[in-house]
Amino acid sequence: MRSGDTEHRSIWLESDGWSVGIIDQTRLPEAFETSRLTTLEETAAAISRMQVRGAPLIGVTAAYGLALSLRRDPGDEALDTARRTLLATRPTAVNLRWAVDRVTAVTLPLPPEERARAAYGEAARLAEADVEVNRRIGEEGLTLLRNAASNGGEGPVQVLTHCNAGRLATVDLGTATAPLYLAHEEGVELHVWVSETRPRNQGAALTAWELGRAGIAHTVLVDSAGSYLMAQGRVDLCIVGADRVAANGDVANKIGTYPKALAARDNGVPIYVAAPLSTIDRTLADGGAIPIEERNPDEVTHVRGRTADGEVALVELTPPGTRAANPALDLTPARLVTGLITQEGLVPASPAGLNSLPWSRATVRSRRA
Amino acid sequence: MRSGDTEHRSIWLESDGWSVGIIDQTRLPEAFETSRLTTLEETAAAISRMQVRGAPLIGVTAAYGLALSLRRDPGDEALDTARRTLLATRPTAVNLRWAVDRVTAVTLPLPPEERARAAYGEAARLAEADVEVNRRIGEEGLTLLRNAASNGGEGPVQVLTHCNAGRLATVDLGTATAPLYLAHEEGVELHVWVSETRPRNQGAALTAWELGRAGIAHTVLVDSAGSYLMAQGRVDLCIVGADRVAANGDVANKIGTYPKALAARDNGVPIYVAAPLSTIDRTLADGGAIPIEERNPDEVTHVRGRTADGEVALVELTPPGTRAANPALDLTPARLVTGLITQEGLVPASPAGLNSLPWSRATVRSRRA
């Protein structure tokens, strides 16, 4: 992402060779600020406070968190504590566990003095693999957008997205947004309906910011309005991300994905879920087994934004003392999903579709990437 | 509504006998402030700026607006201008036209010097009729809540509502909330899921405030979360209001009603629309003919709330210059509506259901009330 003259990924190794830079996403769109992670504890806090968020980015951040921890204490006990600390930060995103397991598998067989270096190496490989995976997801999705452009009649291809499965949710390019960036580069005319994504407004704050930087036309909507636009025939297709996909194709993603999928079905609009293989959890038979994160109710009752003076302020929306509930994700049944866009192709959201993916090859590839 | 020691309706004739008092709903829940309307222009502004809102209340306010106008100038031309001014304030709520037509029908045949007095009389009758209509809607809905309480197993009856079809949306009692208030009075154990209702947060700001004053247990949710709760089996029934119902039973209501109806259908949860007969527009064959109000995009990009200091602040959520769309309502197809709760009983949302209503009797009754 461009900020001033600098092109940023969402996470990077600092020039000191060991500390980890991130974009503090809780400060966007008010301010583009970077933050430097130097310890396991800072890394875990950055994930749970959502300074970094998005399933793929959480995975890579956790991998660096293990490296930071091993740098201080490479012993088995410290490694185990670090694993547990990181796994407890966000319960739903399976990439977190996947990345932590990858780094553990690489480091645990090694003598302690070699572990930190190996962990940094694996974290860097995961980061590079993420960008490559997203590029391939982008190419798969690009075909869908090209087809929509040639079938869709007049005007730009109208895409609806929810939350931020964008550059900021990954190391770069994004999952759901990768097809948009590639299509835009190629000159496909696009317009993106950006669902604001209460309570944390990742659509209004992050996706709008990303698309704006990339020069892609977009319009922000309240979350409830997507279904109305679909009923009006103003959406050609929906693309969303995923926090976890179960073995039957059920999708856990940001709260509000399920009602959009219902509206898509009711109006014959295709809805695709962009999901790297690391997001697919074949250990869970269906979505009912995916843990759904319940976050602090303050995120519902209070909203952060800029005042007319340009100051950042937190304002309370509800009468004092009002109770709120804050489920952070919902489950979209596989029957409502048109297809999963993975780095290995577009597959049906079904057991057969998921089984058709080249699991062993994918693992080897991303390990080598 | 109780404020301090005073019981307030949402609109009343002031003690001077001619100016009209309202609760300024744009100031809630931060402050309970009343405002005094003295001219047609102030009345039209109060409606379009949503100091008063809710289809039934808009109707009564417009009736008083005609009375205020006729008091200044009872001539035919001024009456016609006043009608047009009021009809232009909000396009979707049919009660507005209904009330304006009622007052016009009563006043136009009279000599100018008698018109203002007759208009005040008709506005007062409409206000009283609204309270009576809501009481009868409440009694119809109460039966549904009693049944849910006896069938629903353990714990309170779980009701989901959207926007504010409450006391504040009517002269008193509300439409969708009338069953809740009557059930609570009767001791039926209730819990209400309050959908916050972006962009203007009428749920979070107004319904939560109303239910809090009445002592009814409630929890605020982001709009996207209602469908998740339904999928989890945590909602026994939904009750919403309506801005306009077409002859086939299609319902125009606050943006976000349609996705809730889709989720209700997908999960076998009944969804009822509380609609006085004045909300039903038999001149329109289906919902496609209902004009849908598009409001200022600033309502999406900016949110008002209280800072920690207790000050009211408006904050911007999106990057500067972001485009937003703001359709204020959506259409729920009749096929998704379990039933319409009217003052004349619960009827199917269908041409037959609407035709079964005692139209001539209803008109006579509310005229006499």
Side-chain angles (χ1 to χ4, degrees):
Chain A
M1 283 141 297
R2 183 154 286 281
S3 169
D5 291 336
T6 320
E7 209 42 67
H8 277 276
R9 284 183 170 184
S10 62
I11 190 166
W12 59 90
L13 198 65
E14 293 285 7
S15 55
D16 58 18
W18 68 272
S19 68
V20 178
I22 59 168
I23 298 170
D24 182 350
Q25 301 190 28
T26 63
R27 304 283 289 125
L28 286 171
E30 286 77 27
F32 183 92
E33 286 181 10
T34 62
S35 181
R36 187 167 159 262
L37 307 176
T38 63
T39 63
L40 167 71
E41 292 70 25
E42 286 171 5
T43 309
I47 297 171
S48 59
R49 289 164 48 206
M50 294 177 69
Q51 292 179 298
V52 289
R53 22 72 51 206
L57 179 57
I58 289 172
V60 173
T61 309
Y64 276 115
L66 282 184
L68 288 169
S69 174
L70 288 165
R71 183 172 177 273
R72 287 216 170 162
D73 182 345
D76 285 10
E77 201 176 320
L79 175 55
D80 191 55
T81 304
R83 279 174 53 83
R84 287 169 196 274
T85 302
L86 290 164
L87 291 176
T89 52
R90 299 284 309 275
T92 305
V94 71
N95 309 56
L96 176 61
R97 194 185 70 201
W98 175 83
V100 166
D101 286 351
R102 287 284 296 265
V103 176
T104 307
V106 167
T107 53
L108 199 57
L110 299 176
E113 64 276 14
E114 294 175 20
R115 285 178 177 173
R117 188 191 172 109
Y120 275 107
E122 187 63 14
R125 273 189 296 278
L126 291 178
E128 292 309 317
D130 181 60
V131 180
E132 174 57 22
V133 159
N134 296 340
R135 181 160 299 279
R136 287 159 66 192
I137 286 173
E139 283 158 6
E140 292 293 335
L142 176 57
T143 308
L144 300 170
L145 294 175
R146 279 195 201 118
N147 291 346
S150 52
N151 299 335
E154 304 271 306
V157 180
Q158 300 283 351
V159 181
L160 185 138
T161 190
H162 184 57
C163 197
N164 174 265
R167 288 202 151 114
L168 290 164
T170 62
V171 177
D172 205 352
L173 262 185
T175 55
T177 56
L180 305 176
Y181 290 123
L182 298 191
H184 183 64
E185 271 176 27
E186 187 177 288
V188 176
E189 203 192 345
L190 287 178
H191 172 260
V192 184
W193 297 108
V194 177
S195 188
E196 67 172 352
T197 318
R198 285 280 294 142
R200 291 181 64 101
N201 300 325
Q202 291 97 330
L206 305 182
T207 302
W209 183 84
E210 270 195 46
L211 295 176
R213 299 242 153 174
I216 297 177
H218 60 281
T219 303
V220 171
L221 292 168
V222 298
D223 298 317
S224 283
S227 49
Y228 173 68
L229 289 177
M230 289 189 232
Q232 286 195 305
R234 294 168 70 190
V235 178
D236 294 316
L237 75 167
C238 305
I239 311 183
V240 297
D243 283 64
R244 194 180 316 203
V245 179
N248 70 338
D250 288 351
V251 173
N253 191 44
K254 181 58 56 193
I255 192 88
T257 305
Y258 168 48
K260 273 169 199 66
L262 286 168
R265 165 63 54 93
D266 203 44
N267 294 288
V269 174
I271 181 164
Y272 297 98
V273 175
L277 268 56
S278 55
T279 303
I280 299 170
D281 185 351
R282 292 190 299 162
T283 70
L284 301 181
D286 60 44
I290 300 177
I292 296 295
E293 179 177 10
E294 182 82 27
R295 293 185 59 86
N296 193 322
D298 288 357
E299 293 184 349
V300 174
T301 55
H302 293 68
V303 167
R304 195 176 52 86
R306 291 183 310 286
T307 65
D309 306 337
E311 309 240 326
V312 174
L314 187 74
V315 297
E316 188 171 9
L317 305 178
T318 45
T322 298
R323 206 169 98 174
N326 187 13
L329 302 109
D330 63 20
L331 290 171
T332 300
R335 66 184 151 86
L336 299 176
V337 177
T338 309
L340 300 175
I341 310 176
T342 78
Q343 70 266 40
E344 298 290 348
L346 178 68
V347 298
S350 67
L354 294 185
N355 284 333
S356 74
L357 290 166
W359 287 99
S360 51
R361 185 157 65 91
T363 308
V364 173
R365 274 207 194 170
S366 59
R367 203 174 281 250
R368 280 195 199 138
Chain B
M1 284 141 296
R2 182 155 287 280
S3 169
D5 291 337
T6 321
E7 220 22 83
H8 278 277
R9 285 183 171 184
S10 61
I11 191 166
W12 58 90
L13 199 65
E14 294 284 8
S15 55
D16 58 19
W18 67 272
S19 67
V20 177
I22 59 168
I23 298 170
D24 182 351
Q25 300 190 29
T26 63
R27 304 283 289 126
L28 285 171
E30 285 76 28
F32 183 93
E33 286 180 10
T34 62
S35 181
R36 187 167 158 263
L37 306 177
T38 63
T39 64
L40 167 70
E41 293 69 25
E42 287 171 3
T43 308
I47 297 172
S48 58
R49 291 165 46 207
M50 295 177 68
Q51 292 179 296
V52 290
R53 21 71 52 205
L57 177 57
I58 288 171
V60 172
T61 308
Y64 276 115
L66 282 184
L68 288 168
S69 173
L70 287 166
R71 185 171 175 272
R72 285 215 172 164
D73 183 343
D76 285 9
E77 200 176 323
L79 175 55
D80 191 55
T81 304
R83 277 174 55 83
R84 288 170 195 273
T85 303
L86 290 165
L87 290 176
T89 51
R90 299 284 308 274
T92 305
V94 72
N95 310 56
L96 175 61
R97 194 184 70 201
W98 175 83
V100 166
D101 286 351
R102 286 284 297 264
V103 176
T104 308
V106 167
T107 52
L108 199 58
L110 298 177
E113 65 276 15
E114 294 175 21
R115 286 178 177 176
R117 185 190 173 109
Y120 275 107
E122 188 62 13
R125 273 188 295 278
L126 290 178
E128 292 308 317
D130 181 61
V131 180
E132 175 57 20
V133 159
N134 296 339
R135 179 160 299 280
R136 286 158 65 192
I137 286 174
E139 282 159 7
E140 293 293 335
L142 176 57
T143 308
L144 300 171
L145 294 174
R146 279 194 200 120
N147 292 345
S150 52
N151 299 336
E154 303 273 304
V157 180
Q158 299 284 350
V159 181
L160 185 138
T161 190
H162 185 57
C163 197
N164 175 266
R167 287 201 152 116
L168 290 163
T170 62
V171 178
D172 205 352
L173 262 185
T175 54
T177 56
L180 305 176
Y181 290 124
L182 297 191
H184 182 65
E185 269 175 28
E186 186 177 288
V188 175
E189 203 192 345
L190 286 178
H191 172 260
V192 183
W193 298 108
V194 176
S195 189
E196 67 173 352
T197 319
R198 286 280 293 143
R200 292 181 63 101
N201 300 324
Q202 292 95 331
L206 305 182
T207 302
W209 182 84
E210 268 195 49
L211 295 176
R213 299 243 154 175
I216 297 178
H218 60 283
T219 303
V220 170
L221 292 168
V222 298
D223 298 317
S224 282
S227 48
Y228 173 68
L229 290 176
M230 288 188 232
Q232 287 195 306
R234 294 167 72 189
V235 179
D236 294 316
L237 75 167
C238 304
I239 311 182
V240 297
D243 283 64
R244 197 184 308 206
V245 178
N248 72 337
D250 288 351
V251 173
N253 190 45
K254 181 57 57 192
I255 193 88
T257 305
Y258 168 48
K260 273 170 199 65
L262 286 169
R265 165 63 55 94
D266 202 45
N267 294 288
V269 174
I271 180 164
Y272 297 98
V273 175
L277 268 56
S278 54
T279 302
I280 299 170
D281 184 352
R282 292 190 298 163
T283 69
L284 301 182
D286 60 45
I290 301 177
I292 296 295
E293 179 178 11
E294 182 82 27
R295 293 184 60 87
N296 192 322
D298 289 356
E299 293 184 349
V300 174
T301 55
H302 293 68
V303 167
R304 195 176 53 83
R306 291 183 310 285
T307 65
D309 305 338
E311 308 240 326
V312 174
L314 187 74
V315 297
E316 189 172 9
L317 305 178
T318 46
T322 299
R323 205 169 97 177
N326 188 13
L329 301 109
D330 63 19
L331 289 171
T332 300
R335 65 186 151 87
L336 299 176
V337 177
T338 310
L340 299 174
I341 309 176
T342 78
Q343 70 267 38
E344 297 291 346
L346 178 68
V347 299
S350 67
L354 294 185
N355 284 333
S356 74
L357 290 166
W359 288 99
S360 51
R361 187 156 65 89
T363 309
V364 174
R365 273 208 195 170
S366 58
R367 203 174 279 252
R368 280 197 199 137

